[in-house]
């Protein structure tokens, strides 16, 4: 089994910051790309940011220059530093990771349970 556990969400005023964490645990041989997605009420889940095991990052245009994704490979944890938050950033944020569970295994995607981020005055 593989578990992804997000934390760090909460209520913040517009212009504020939050740092989300996603900790992976369980039967993991190799942890490849890790990603953050957001899902606002009544909308589809959308890609926000990604980081490869080598540290290469990619962002959605809507969060570029405001959000920063990073990871600690030793801790099997990804982070999303969210700055200059806007009300439209309000959503449940989900962590997604590509995991190989054994030396000759295949890559499979896993999701966390999500953490709520609310940006409001």
């Amino acid at each position: 089994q593989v578990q992804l556990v997000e934390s760090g969400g909460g209520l913040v005023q517009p212009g504020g910051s939050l740092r989300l964490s996603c900790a992976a645990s369980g039967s993991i041989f190799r942890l490849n790309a890790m990603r953050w997605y957001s899902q606002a009420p009544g909308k589809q889940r959308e890609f926000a940011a990604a980081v490869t095991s080598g540290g290469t990052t990619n962002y959605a245009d809507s969060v570029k220059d405001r959000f920063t994704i990073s990871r600690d490979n030793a801790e099997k944890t990804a982070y999303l530093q969210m700055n200059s938050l806007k009300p439209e950033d309000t959503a449940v944020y989900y962590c997604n990771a590509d995991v190989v569970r054994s030396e000759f295994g295949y890559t499979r995607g896993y999701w966390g349970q999500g953490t709520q981020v609310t940006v409001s005055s």
Side-chain angles (χ1 to χ4, degrees):
Q1 278 287 50
V2 173
Q3 296 84 36
L4 299 178
V5 179
E6 300 101 331
S7 61
L11 173 64
V12 63
Q13 292 187 344
S17 298
L18 282 175
R19 189 191 195 207
L20 307 183
S21 299
C22 170
S25 63
S27 179
I28 299 172
F29 176 78
R30 186 169 61 247
L31 189 56
N32 292 334
M34 299 184 76
R35 307 173 187 88
W36 288 96
Y37 286 77
S38 66
Q39 187 166 19
K43 295 189 176 182
Q44 290 189 333
R45 196 169 297 187
E46 296 181 342
F47 169 78
V51 60
T52 68
S53 57
T56 300
T57 59
N58 186 34
Y59 298 93
D61 288 342
S62 60
V63 306
K64 202 173 292 184
D65 299 327
R66 298 189 300 122
F67 293 5
T68 301
I69 189 171
S70 60
R71 63 190 285 169
D72 183 328
N73 288 330
E75 296 295 325
K76 295 185 177 66
T77 299
Y79 303 96
L80 186 68
Q81 179 66 45
M82 311 166 70
N83 297 330
S84 302
L85 282 161
K86 306 174 182 180
E88 51 263 44
D89 295 319
T90 295
V92 178
Y93 284 75
Y94 294 92
C95 178
N96 167 262
D98 294 337
V99 177
V100 178
R101 295 183 60 186
S102 63
E103 183 176 2
F104 301 107
Y106 58 90
T107 301
R108 177 181 168 183
Y110 290 85
W111 291 90
Q113 82 289 349
T115 185
Q116 176 71 47
V117 171
T118 302
V119 185
S120 175
S121 55

